[in-house]
Amino acid sequence: MKILKALKDKWNGVDNYHPNIGKVQYTWEDVENTRKDVENKMEEYQNTVREDQVNLKYKWEDVKSGKITEEEYHRFLKEYNEETHKLFKERKITYQEYSARNDIWLEELEKSDDDEWIEIKFQNKKEEAKKNVKDLKYKWEDVKNGKITEPEFRKYLDEYSDETDKLEKEGKITLEEKLVRGDILYEEHCKWFEERDKLIEERVKQIDLKYKWEDVRSGKITKVEYDRYLDEYSEKTDKLRKEGKITSEEFAERIRIWNEEYNKRLKEHKTRLVEEDKKEVAKPLQKVHENPQKELQNLIGLNSVKTEIETLTNFIKIQQLRKDKGLKSSQLNYHCVFTGNPGTGKTTVGRIIGAIYKELGILKSGHLVETDRSGLVGEYIGHTAVKTNKIIDSALDGVLFIDEAYSLIAGGRNDFGKEAIATLLKRMEDDRDRLVVVLAGYTDEMKDFINTNPGLESRFNRYIEFPDYSDSELYQIFELNLKNFDYHLADNVDDIVKTIFTKAVENKDRNFGNARFVRNFFEKTLERQSNRLAKEVKLTAECLSEITESDIID
């Protein structure tokens, strides 16, 4: 303590020095030397105080050598810390002695935080816990051997997991035992998923069509028989899914195969009908660009869809006006999800929406680019991003319409569809001022698809449901086709057509084609008329334009 007092006096003498008052007694070098002298003496004193302290009775090395348990060691450290505080409080040790004891305590406490030791101890406890944990009653091998069904096995694993949580909450098993049970459960889950994926993959490989479009072209089966077979295949697929006899992956694969074949059938007619399609109600692009709102209202049926789009248009207009007036406006989301059965006008309305967005100044061109899974997903690693970006580039300043979008998640965990979704979401953010995306497909499947990805949920919150056409609306579409192609019905034939449409609506299922059904019916009618007229010699304009009863009923 005398040393400290002497140093303090010397420092005070230096500290009171002022260069403008009296004779210079000390130089700046004296100040620096004194400061260093004080620091060195203080450090020396601290070390002396620490050496004077009684060393710890037990150290971390004693725990690792087995001389003392970890619990006893921590109890000792706690008592040592409490004793230090008590001695300092009673003024039996100086502040420097208190600090020295506290430093010793902290150093030992840090030693006890030994990750390697903790890991070894934890593994030892887990090894000990394994002796107390019984193995699973049922394993994946029992499913393969037919001892238990897959649903029963899945239920048993869930019950085992619930039982583990319950035992741990009730304090009947240790944390290590719970973790061991979790490891066992995880191993069985891994076996189950790995084997299940293999089984699904094998079953999916066996899913193939009995008849294909090539069989129609080769004359093995007629178009009518082919269409009937595709309808039966679709109905069977839907029935198997409802009865739980196929997995969601198998269902998606069967739908993919069905769509692939149906698209082949459509492509066969595309070249022949491309000019005719321009006149069809589903593709009045030039008219749409002139007055898209009027074109929307002129569509047959779809009253609820028209109301939804009118509401959306009005909302956009008002928000734009608010912005122009310097008022706060809501952040607009132009992306949509169109849900409903095939042939309900989703693509047509997608074109009209593009034209409306152009009219409102949201998009520069407002054109529509239609695609599906085959246009986005590649066949090998790295191919998907290239295909998806290429399609998106072609849709910039317009609308990208993705039909049956749910098929992007239909290929399992290693499928490239997820890469297409990720690429799409990134481009939607990067090009948010130049791209509007419309996703389309069956109602339930589309909702499930959107819910699988938070990125999709946040960007697609506007759903527009497309209802099926009524029998009277189907007849109006048929009449429009007749008018566009310069045909007319003979007397009393209209009642026959109406009856056919009424029965079709009454017996429809989820795969009913709606306007597509009318188009196919119209094409078959023209084919039958051509066969009838080919046998006649003199063909007037009236003959070539009239549809008779024999053309309707085969």
Side-chain angles (χ1 to χ4, degrees):
M1 297 302 290
K2 289 180 179 180
I3 296 172
L4 284 176
K5 187 176 184 306
L7 289 169
K8 183 179 180 182
D9 292 341
K10 186 176 180 182
W11 178 256
N12 287 338
V14 174
D15 194 39
N16 290 329
Y17 158 73
H18 194 283
N20 298 325
I21 299 176
K23 186 180 179 181
V24 177
Q25 187 176 357
Y26 300 105
T27 65
W28 181 251
E29 285 76 12
D30 294 326
V31 176
E32 283 295 303
N33 292 335
T34 302
R35 181 181 63 78
K36 291 178 182 178
D37 192 20
V38 170
E39 289 177 352
N40 292 335
K41 291 296 182 181
M42 286 295 292
E43 186 177 355
E44 182 181 342
Y45 178 70
Q46 283 289 109
N47 292 334
T48 303
V49 170
R50 179 161 180 169
E51 289 171 3
D52 290 342
Q53 297 306 303
V54 178
N55 208 350
L56 289 173
K57 182 180 178 182
Y58 298 113
K59 295 190 176 183
W60 179 246
E61 288 72 15
D62 298 328
V63 178
K64 298 180 78 171
S65 65
K67 186 177 180 180
I68 184 174
T69 66
E70 190 175 348
E71 290 76 13
E72 291 172 330
Y73 173 73
H74 282 291
R75 194 181 306 119
F76 165 71
L77 282 185
K78 183 180 179 184
E79 292 170 355
Y80 179 84
N81 189 37
E82 291 172 351
E83 179 191 18
T84 299
H85 285 287
K86 183 180 178 184
L87 289 171
F88 181 65
K89 191 175 182 181
E90 295 174 353
R91 298 294 186 269
K92 292 181 180 180
I93 58 174
T94 65
Y95 176 74
Q96 287 75 19
E97 290 172 324
Y98 169 78
S99 297
R101 289 174 67 93
N102 205 41
D103 288 343
I104 293 171
W105 172 76
L106 282 172
E107 287 174 8
E108 279 301 315
L109 198 62
E110 288 175 359
K111 287 182 185 178
S112 67
D113 190 17
D114 189 334
D115 291 339
E116 184 179 352
W117 167 264
I118 292 171
E119 181 65 25
I120 293 171
K121 183 183 70 172
F122 176 69
Q123 290 300 330
N124 290 339
K125 284 188 176 181
K126 281 190 71 174
E127 289 299 323
E128 186 65 28
K130 284 182 181 179
K131 300 175 184 177
N132 302 324
V133 177
K134 294 181 180 179
D135 208 350
L136 290 171
K137 182 180 178 182
Y138 297 112
K139 295 194 174 185
W140 177 248
E141 286 72 17
D142 298 325
V143 179
K144 294 172 69 176
N145 297 332
K147 187 177 179 181
I148 185 174
T149 65
E150 187 174 335
E152 290 173 332
F153 176 70
R154 182 169 60 248
K155 183 181 178 183
Y156 169 68
L157 290 186
D158 291 340
E159 291 172 351
Y160 182 85
S161 177
D162 294 340
E163 179 193 27
T164 299
D165 291 334
K166 182 181 178 183
L167 291 173
E168 195 263 340
K169 287 180 181 177
E170 295 174 352
K172 294 181 180 180
I173 59 174
T174 64
L175 173 62
E176 289 75 22
E177 288 174 328
K178 179 185 177 181
L179 293 173
V180 170
R181 290 170 69 97
D183 289 344
I184 293 173
L185 191 65
Y186 176 73
E187 288 176 8
E188 284 304 311
H189 266 291
C190 289
K191 290 179 186 176
W192 170 33
F193 284 124
E194 185 179 351
E195 291 290 329
R196 187 196 63 172
D197 288 345
K198 288 180 181 178
L199 289 173
I200 290 173
E201 188 177 344
E202 288 300 318
R203 287 202 293 260
V204 166
K205 286 180 181 178
Q206 296 171 8
I207 299 172
D208 207 352
L209 292 170
K210 180 180 178 182
Y211 298 112
K212 296 192 176 183
W213 182 246
E214 288 74 14
D215 297 327
V216 177
R217 300 182 66 181
S218 64
K220 186 177 179 180
I221 185 174
T222 65
K223 290 180 182 178
V224 175
E225 291 172 328
Y226 175 75
D227 288 338
R228 190 183 301 121
Y229 170 69
L230 279 187
D231 290 341
E232 291 171 354
Y233 179 87
S234 178
E235 290 170 4
K236 179 182 177 183
T237 297
D238 198 43
K239 182 180 178 183
L240 290 172
R241 187 192 66 157
K242 289 178 179 177
E243 294 175 352
K245 293 181 179 179
I246 59 175
T247 64
S248 57
E249 291 88 350
E250 290 172 309
F251 171 76
E253 180 64 14
R254 292 175 72 97
I255 291 296
R256 186 194 67 76
I257 292 172
W258 184 89
N259 283 328
E260 190 177 275
E261 280 301 311
Y262 195 84
N263 285 335
K264 287 180 185 178
R265 198 224 192 285
L266 292 180
K267 286 177 182 178
E268 185 77 14
H269 296 275
K270 190 172 182 180
T271 304
R272 180 170 59 88
L273 298 176
V274 66
E275 292 301 323
E276 298 172 354
D277 281 348
K278 292 180 181 178
K279 301 178 184 179
E280 212 171 85
V281 68
K283 191 168 175 136
L285 276 180
Q286 288 75 15
K287 293 180 182 179
V288 167
H289 283 284
E290 292 174 3
N291 193 337
Q293 294 286 357
K294 183 179 179 181
E295 188 64 34
L296 177 66
Q297 296 304 320
N298 288 340
L299 290 179
I300 295 169
L302 304 178
N303 293 329
S304 60
V305 175
K306 295 172 185 176
T307 302
E308 284 276 355
I309 295 175
E310 184 181 4
T311 301
L312 171 61
T313 304
N314 292 336
F315 179 71
I316 292 172
K317 288 179 179 178
I318 295 301
Q319 294 306 310
Q320 288 178 336
L321 285 173
R322 286 179 61 85
K323 187 176 181 181
D324 293 341
K325 300 293 183 182
L327 299 172
K328 292 182 180 179
S329 60
S330 300
Q331 187 173 1
L332 299 175
N333 185 353
Y334 305 112
H335 309 298
C336 299
V337 179
F338 288 178
T339 58
N341 291 330
T344 48
K346 293 188 287 293
T347 307
T348 301
V349 174
R351 292 192 182 99
I352 293 175
I353 277 209
I356 290 174
Y357 283 166
K358 178 187 178 183
E359 190 177 64
L360 294 173
I362 296 166
L363 296 171
K364 288 183 179 179
S365 70
H367 67 288
L368 182 135
V369 173
E370 183 180 0
T371 189
D372 55 15
R373 176 188 167 90
S374 63
L376 299 171
V377 179
E379 300 175 358
Y380 50 83
I381 296 174
H383 190 206
T384 296
V386 174
K387 288 187 72 174
T388 303
N389 280 315
K390 187 176 180 181
I391 286 287
I392 293 173
D393 288 341
S394 67
L396 288 178
D397 299 320
V399 175
L400 178 62
F401 186 94
I402 304 177
D403 198 15
E404 294 172 352
Y406 51 82
S407 63
L408 291 173
I409 59 169
R413 62 184 179 183
N414 295 323
D415 183 62
F416 296 136
K418 293 179 181 178
E419 184 183 355
I421 295 172
T423 304
L424 175 65
L425 291 175
K426 184 178 185 305
R427 289 296 300 273
M428 286 174 69
E429 180 62 28
D430 295 344
D431 300 298
R432 54 183 174 276
D433 296 329
R434 298 187 61 194
L435 180 68
V436 170
V437 179
V438 175
L439 305 180
Y442 288 113
T443 303
D444 293 339
E445 282 82 346
M446 286 305 301
K447 288 180 179 178
D448 292 341
F449 168 63
I450 297 296
N451 292 335
T452 61
N453 189 305
L456 293 172
E457 282 185 296
S458 63
R459 289 170 176 82
F460 294 94
N461 50 29
R462 187 180 303 280
Y463 287 76
I464 299 179
E465 177 71 22
F466 284 68
D468 286 343
Y469 288 109
S470 65
D471 53 351
S472 61
E473 289 169 342
L474 293 177
Y475 182 74
Q476 291 178 55
I477 295 172
F478 182 73
E479 280 188 315
L480 188 61
N481 276 274
L482 290 173
K483 180 181 178 182
N484 287 337
F485 293 100
D486 296 325
Y487 287 97
H488 65 270
L489 297 176
D491 294 340
N492 300 324
V493 176
D494 56 340
D495 291 333
I496 298 173
V497 176
K498 289 177 181 178
T499 301
I500 291 173
F501 288 154
T502 299
K503 289 182 179 180
V505 170
E506 289 174 352
N507 299 316
K508 71 180 179 181
D509 57 17
R510 74 192 298 268
N511 297 314
F512 179 63
N514 287 285
R516 188 182 298 169
F517 169 81
V518 176
R519 177 174 175 172
N520 290 338
F521 178 80
F522 179 68
E523 289 178 3
K524 291 174 184 176
T525 298
L526 298 187
E527 288 176 0
R528 284 190 286 267
Q529 188 219 36
S530 299
N531 290 333
R532 175 176 61 81
L533 295 177
K535 300 173 184 177
E536 299 184 15
V537 179
K538 292 184 179 181
L539 294 175
T540 64
E542 173 65 20
C543 292
L544 292 170
S545 302
E546 186 176 57
I547 302 295
T548 66
E549 182 178 344
S550 61
D551 300 330
I552 298 297
I553 301 174
D554 193 1

